[in-house]
Amino acid sequence: MPLPSSSSSSSSSSADGLRSIGELAEQAGVTVKTVRYYSDQGLLPEACRSAGGHRRYAPQASERLRLIRSLRGLDLPLPAIRRILDRDGAPGSVDQDALDDAVARHLRELGSQMSALRWREAALLPLRDAAPDERADRLRLVGAIATPPDTTAMARFWRRWLPARLPARVTAMIIDHAVPQPPDDPTPEQVLAFARLHAFVTGNCPGDNLDECQPAVHRPEEGYRPAVLYDGLVDAYALASTQLRARRTPEPGEALDCFVDAYATSRRTGDTAPFRRALHGQLASDPRVDHYWQQVAAIRTPGSGASEPTPGAAHDWLTEALAADIGLSAA
């Protein structure tokens, strides 16, 4: 069978050192169509055209073609390959900076894709293992989050939950501590916890009335200073976390005093027994976000191992310590 016309007509002039498109394709182990495509894309320049209009390539084109194939084998896109090859005139070399940038960018993209696949796998396992009467609920939960998931809804929840006049720096600090980052390689339990957390924050405060979203302790009388409150709560939670790590029962002490003082100072009043009783009643009557912090703990620490206390756990410990203090005072 005769060769394609482009190869047969060009091979007769191979003595000039140039290669026909067919010769180049055969040498590189690719099809003529592949060589023509890379030429049309500007990746494989022609040396000239024959009298009959056929493409002619310099001997160095075979090395450039091998480089193109190697880069395509890494699944790098054509624009990236063009930048890598076009910045250097030597046919067998590449622009190292452009190559580094392309590899780094491709690794980031692959990492994101792999993270999405790991989340999808971890989301499918609870569906596979669930009892028939649980599957619909689990499907609703895991189907509502993106893969890989983001934390936009959690951050939005905290911006609505926190006092409106809180300084931006304090709000940013609280959100940074309160919003868990999705693990790169989640367990099925972590996926379910993240899905439950997402359902909680997206189902909370459906209206635009902030009074429905914020707890009563964020809406006290005129003169309330929210920045003072949260600066003090940071210290109180740190002290309570020490008690939690030591597995101490909630009780009056330095941590509780710091906790109460934060509320009292923010309202320009003193720490008295009546104030403590009123504060406990206010905290107990407000909607709590215990469910939120339970899911955060499950996301951050899979399995049954000990975890770093969350701000929610510290708050619970201090509230119980306040209740114990009121009981002792009343006695």
Side-chain angles (χ1 to χ4, degrees), residues 1-11 20-22 32-33 36 54:
M1 179 181 293
L3 293 172
S5 58
S6 61
S7 296
S8 58
S9 61
S10 301
S11 60
S20 69
I21 191 171
V32 169
K33 182 179 179 181
R36 184 178 293 113
H54 300 295

Side-chain angles (χ1 to χ4, degrees), residues 153 157 196-207:
F157 166 81
R196 292 185 180 114
L197 187 58
H198 182 270
F200 173 76
V201 298
T202 55
N204 216 42
C205 301

Side-chain angles (χ1 to χ4, degrees), residues 245-264:
R245 285 190 290 268
R247 301 184 182 278
R248 293 197 176 98
T249 301
E251 59 185 3
E254 182 184 8
L256 178 60
D257 291 344
C258 184
F259 180 67
V260 175
D261 181 69
Y263 281 100

Side-chain angles (χ1 to χ4, degrees), residues 133-200:
D133 59 343
E134 295 179 331
R135 282 182 175 166
D137 183 57
R138 287 192 176 184
L139 180 59
R140 176 184 58 81
L141 284 171
V142 299
I145 59 175
T147 51
D150 63 58
T151 57
T152 303
M154 288 80 167
R156 185 183 301 117
F157 166 81
W158 281 102
R159 289 191 183 97
R160 293 176 64 84
W161 177 266
L162 294 169
R165 292 182 289 118
L166 200 61
R169 65 168 180 83
V170 180
T171 299
M173 178 189 66
I174 294 170
I175 291 175
D176 184 61
H177 283 83
V179 175
Q181 291 304 308
D184 292 330
D185 191 6
T187 65
E189 293 76 16
Q190 286 176 306
V191 170
L192 280 176
F194 195 95
R196 292 185 180 114
L197 187 58
H198 182 270
F200 173 76

Side-chain angles (χ1 to χ4, degrees), residues 11 49 57 61 66-67 84 118 120 129 141 152 171 187 190 195 210 212 260 284-285 300 328:
S11 60
R49 292 261 179 158
Y57 297 91
R66 279 192 285 269
L67 277 173
I84 292 168
R118 287 192 291 265
R120 288 172 186 167
D129 300 336
L141 284 171
T152 303
T171 299
T187 65
Q190 286 176 306
L210 285 178
E212 297 175 359
V260 175
S285 66
R300 288 178 173 168
L328 289 174

